[in-house]
């Protein structure tokens, strides 16, 4: 499963700060390139932790995500969209959610 998440990047003094409003998480680093790599890692860890504690659906719904269930049994989560000029979108591959997707169908 791949999730599309809007990320806001800001320069604050000598650091680059990244914030994902749809997840309410942030990270910072020295360069935009490093921050993007670290943010993808943070997002994977965030989703893994939510799955481990059984709170994935609850937290995503609280953060404004919407879930669509398709007739073929597929489930897709959509992050809330933020309309800002300084937003960028990154794609994060979450292979471990491919198997979880079937579990979402039965809930």
């Amino acid at each position: 499963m791949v999730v599309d998440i809007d990320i806001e990047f800001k320069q604050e003094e000598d650091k680059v700060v990244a914030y994902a409003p749809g997840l309410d998480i942030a990270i910072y680093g020295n360069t935009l390139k490093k921050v993007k790599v670290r943010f993808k890692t943070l997002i994977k860890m965030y989703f893994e932790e939510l799955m481990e504690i059984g709170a994935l659906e609850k937290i995503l719904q609280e953060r404004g995500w919407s879930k669509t269930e398709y007739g073929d049994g597929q489930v897709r989560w959509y992050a809330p969209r933020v309309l800002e000029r300084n937003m960028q979108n990154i794609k994060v591959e979450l292979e471990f959610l491919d198997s979880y997707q079937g579990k979402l169908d039965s809930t």
Side-chain angles (χ1 to χ4, degrees):
M1 175 194 270
V2 175
V3 293
D4 295 328
I5 302 169
D6 287 331
I7 309 295
E8 179 181 1
F9 295 95
K10 291 191 236 179
Q11 185 74 41
E12 292 188 6
E13 297 181 16
D14 63 339
K15 301 291 182 198
V16 176
V17 178
Y19 173 66
L23 296 173
D24 197 25
I25 58 175
I27 199 165
Y28 70 92
N30 294 325
T31 67
L32 181 60
K33 184 177 179 178
K34 287 181 183 178
V35 167
K36 285 182 178 183
V37 170
R38 290 181 65 211
F39 209 84
K40 286 182 179 184
T41 301
L42 176 63
I43 290 169
K44 287 179 182 182
M45 290 170 43
Y46 183 83
F47 274 84
E48 287 173 350
E49 180 65 22
L50 290 179
M51 280 185 52
E52 285 179 22
I53 65 173
L56 181 64
E57 288 196 44
K58 178 181 183 285
I59 297 298
L60 292 181
Q61 288 171 343
E62 287 175 359
R63 300 278 187 263
W65 290 57
S66 59
K67 179 172 108 172
T68 301
E69 298 183 35
Y70 297 95
D72 61 0
Q74 294 292 313
V75 175
R76 172 106 190 219
W77 283 92
Y78 295 93
R81 289 314 216 201
V82 179
L83 303 175
E84 292 283 333
R85 286 187 292 166
N86 60 348
M87 290 290 190
Q88 295 184 23
N89 186 273
I90 62 173
K91 294 187 184 305
V92 180
E93 183 68 37
L94 303 174
E95 300 90 8
F96 56 88
L97 283 182
D98 289 341
S99 62
Y100 184 73
Q101 197 171 26
K103 294 178 186 175
L104 291 175
D105 296 356
S106 63
T107 59

